[in-house]
Amino acid sequence: MRYEVIDLERIGDEHGALSFMEAGRTIPFEIRRIYYIYDVSVGEVRGHHAHRRLHQAMWCPSGSVEIFLDDGTERSAVMLDTPERIVVLRPGVWRDYVFHRADSTLCVAASDYYDENDYVRDRDEFRALVEGEYWGP
Ligand code: TYD
């Protein structure tokens, strides 16, 4: 599998809750970029791509976003509807994500800066890359 779902610890009491992730521990790569996607209409689908070398971790601190994942051998869906869940993606995973609630924010930590050349946005190219196992580690 080229992705992993991690349920974070929840440190909570009557004053609220706290969860944390640590680079090099929870997130198994060095973080060079953080971005977030918000103001997305309910039912909107984004993504439609894979990455050649980029590692990413995604989480949804509020709202609900469903991530559909396909690494060429296995498909699955991960519901990010709690701030305690993160999904860690290695290179070579096609992802589509659908926003289920208007207040949803999808946060992403990435192992490198933005580079359009790292994107695979064509399904046929994705299939060819899967067959050649042409992904970064
Ligand atoms: P994209 O990654 O395609 O978003 P999604 O997969 O959610 O649909 O990015 C959307 C646009 O934003 C695209 O034109 C590239 C730009 N962008 C940046 O300039 N910097 C970034 O760090 C990211 C993630 C995207």
Side-chain angles (χ1 to χ4, degrees):
M1 278 222 297
R2 303 191 72 85
Y3 47 87
E4 185 187 2
V5 177
I6 299 171
D7 285 313
L8 302 172
E9 190 181 341
R10 175 190 174 95
I11 301 170
D13 58 21
E14 66 274 22
H15 303 292
L18 179 154
S19 295
F20 62 91
M21 50 193 108
E22 296 175 325
R25 292 180 173 176
T26 330
I27 296 182
F29 53 83
E30 221 173 282
I31 297 166
R32 281 215 171 134
R33 176 168 52 115
I34 289 177
Y35 63 93
Y36 35 97
I37 302 167
Y38 54 97
D39 273 354
V40 179
S41 302
V42 172
E44 188 74 50
V45 186
R46 299 182 58 122
H48 317 301
H49 67 261
H51 284 284
R52 299 172 200 276
R53 304 192 68 80
L54 194 73
H55 294 248
Q56 292 183 310
M58 299 182 158
W59 68 100
C60 189
S62 71
S64 166
V65 178
E66 193 169 9
I67 317 283
F68 294 92
L69 300 166
D70 175 9
D71 66 7
T73 56
E74 205 173 329
R75 288 172 190 237
S76 66
V78 179
M79 187 65 94
L80 296 179
D81 58 359
T82 161
E84 291 148 44
R85 178 162 299 155
I86 70 170
V87 57
V88 178
L89 308 179
R90 290 169 56 206
V93 183
W94 188 276
R95 81 288 306 273
D96 299 299
Y97 24 93
V98 57
F99 284 64
H100 288 303
R101 277 176 42 180
D103 61 349
S104 302
T105 299
L106 180 65
C107 296
V108 184
S111 63
D112 212 339
Y113 305 123
Y114 171 73
D115 175 9
E116 184 57 36
N117 294 323
D118 191 71
Y119 282 69
V120 180
R121 295 190 186 271
D122 180 81
R123 278 300 293 185
D124 291 339
E125 187 186 4
F126 174 69
R127 293 289 342 158
L129 290 168
V130 165
E131 276 154 32
E133 292 184 23
Y134 187 70
W135 304 114

